[in-house]
Amino acid sequence: MKIYMNDGLVDQSEAKVSVFDHGLLYGDGIFEGIRLYNGCVFKLEEHLERLEYSAKAIMLEMPWSRKEISNAVRETCSANGLKDGYIRLVVTRGVGSLGLSIKNCDRPQLIIIADKIQLYPEEFYENGLKIITVPTRRCNPAALPPTVKSLNYLNNILAKIEAQHLGYHEAIMLNDQGYVAECTGDNVFIIHKGELITPSASAGALKGITRDTALEIAEELGIPWRESNMTRYDVWVAEELFLTGTAAEIIPIVEVDARPIGDGKPGPITAKFLESFRRRVVSEGTML
Ligand code: PMP
């Protein structure tokens, strides 16, 4: 496999980072997870914009233009002969000294990995997924903004450990006020009385690219939507619930905290969202 490192492709065996890279030492860096469908990169500009915003938020100056990164993404996919897959774009703070200061890290590192994707089993989409709420709270946006897609994912990993320990694949994380923020790697949507509702970024949600696509689909389907604070009660009494994410796409949820959602089967509105999403991914991407 060929990996893109800084200014060109190298063999996987040569794709290495320094032990002094602050991405490794402190989780100081940012990333994006992007999908390649049928030779087209889905929502590439949106992912690159979010990467730029993440960089700006953590004061990481990327020496590459958007065009250069976008060309590097295409080059990596082509070099690996991929038509469908998952692209991991990572920018680390770079090599520095054994201290927190970013002052000695003068060269950020760009890494692009394009690989086959481990898809969720089709059964999740057909029968829906059961999830729970976990005790670990989502980071307060005033501490580490969840809108920054940073290399520091321990908050989410702790929640994932709790979920998996109890036999679940995904879990709802609440913010420090007790409102629903998001899942460990996905955004949350409920449908209640015909309306689509999702927590806002200020409640601790990542501004997911799939989340934005779901909102576009709501417009297309004529379903009113709004961002709102949401309690666990709101989730339990929703008629339908689904999660969105680059890897997960749109997944119906049929049970939360042992309460069935709606009639305990994937709902008809969620099915429409998934159908529209799957149509979009093959018609809207940027060609390699
Ligand atoms: N929330 C978190 C914490 C995530 O890591 C992700 C991405 N896996 C999402 C939401 C979904 O975002 P996107 O649709 O851009 O993949």
Side-chain angles (χ1 to χ4, degrees):
M1 187 193 300
K2 296 285 180 196
I3 312 284
Y4 198 96
M5 292 281 295
N6 298 316
D7 38 32
L9 291 163
V10 296
D11 206 69
Q12 184 181 341
S13 57
E14 289 158 36
K16 293 184 177 139
V17 290
S18 162
V19 292
F20 289 99
D21 191 306
H22 280 208
L24 173 69
L25 290 175
Y26 298 115
D28 185 356
I30 52 180
F31 77 101
E32 283 296 320
I34 311 171
R35 284 289 284 274
L36 179 69
Y37 291 99
N38 199 26
C40 295
V41 189
F42 189 58
K43 301 277 183 193
L44 180 58
E45 288 302 311
E46 288 80 353
H47 280 284
L48 296 180
E49 181 184 72
R50 187 170 66 185
L51 184 79
E52 289 164 7
Y53 288 166
S54 292
K56 185 159 192 194
I58 69 161
M59 297 182 82
L60 189 161
E61 270 181 49
M62 293 196 291
W64 315 278
S65 66
R66 189 185 295 190
K67 187 94 204 114
E68 281 170 326
I69 301 182
S70 134
N71 286 341
V73 166
R74 290 162 205 227
E75 218 183 299
T76 315
C77 293
S78 304
N80 290 295
L82 278 181
K83 279 198 87 185
D84 291 279
Y86 180 85
I87 304 155
R88 174 58 60 92
L89 184 50
V90 180
V91 179
T92 73
R93 183 77 69 181
V95 172
S97 54
L98 289 179
L100 292 180
S101 173
I102 62 172
K103 289 211 172 103
N104 301 321
C105 308
D106 48 11
R107 195 166 183 266
Q109 303 283 301
L110 171 66
I111 301 163
I112 305 172
I113 307 166
D115 201 358
K116 288 186 210 72
I117 179 159
Q118 190 85 42
L119 292 172
Y120 284 123
E122 190 53 32
E123 164 205 341
F124 285 11
Y125 300 91
E126 280 165 17
N127 305 332
L129 200 60
K130 297 178 180 181
I131 60 173
I132 46 160
T133 311
V134 287
T136 293
R137 297 289 169 111
R138 192 75 182 97
C139 278
N140 183 315
L144 177 61
T147 35
V148 175
K149 206 162 165 54
S150 87
L151 291 185
N152 198 319
Y153 250 54
L154 259 187
N155 181 216
N156 312 58
I157 290 168
L158 290 179
K160 184 92 176 178
I161 289 171
E162 286 166 350
Q164 289 188 328
H165 190 64
L166 294 167
Y168 293 87
H169 288 278
E170 244 310 4
I172 290 181
M173 299 180 76
L174 306 178
N175 64 23
D176 60 2
Q177 292 175 296
Y179 293 113
V180 173
E182 59 180 345
C183 283
T184 67
D186 299 304
N187 289 112
V188 180
F189 285 84
I190 61 169
I191 292 167
H192 189 59
K193 296 196 190 294
E195 220 187 358
L196 182 72
I197 310 168
T198 193
S200 68
S202 56
L206 177 76
K207 288 186 181 172
I209 308 293
T210 324
R211 175 183 185 273
D212 281 347
T213 310
L215 297 177
E216 281 170 24
I217 295 173
E219 301 274 349
E220 170 199 303
L221 297 176
I223 294 172
W225 65 267
R226 67 188 159 93
E227 293 180 333
S228 171
N229 273 342
M230 201 188 276
T231 60
R232 291 172 81 201
Y233 170 85
D234 297 324
V235 166
W236 297 335
V237 303
E239 284 104 54
E240 295 186 36
L241 201 153
F242 62 81
L243 309 183
T244 64
T246 296
E249 302 183 321
I250 293 180
I251 290 208
I253 301 300
V254 292
E255 183 191 290
V256 179
D257 302 330
R259 281 92 169 164
I261 301 301
D263 59 5
K265 297 198 187 81
I269 301 178
T270 304
K272 283 191 186 159
F273 274 83
L274 182 57
E275 191 190 303
S276 170
F277 184 81
R278 290 199 162 154
R279 222 178 323 113
R280 281 163 184 258
V281 295
V282 287
S283 63
E284 280 184 14
T286 309
M287 286 254 280
L288 283 184

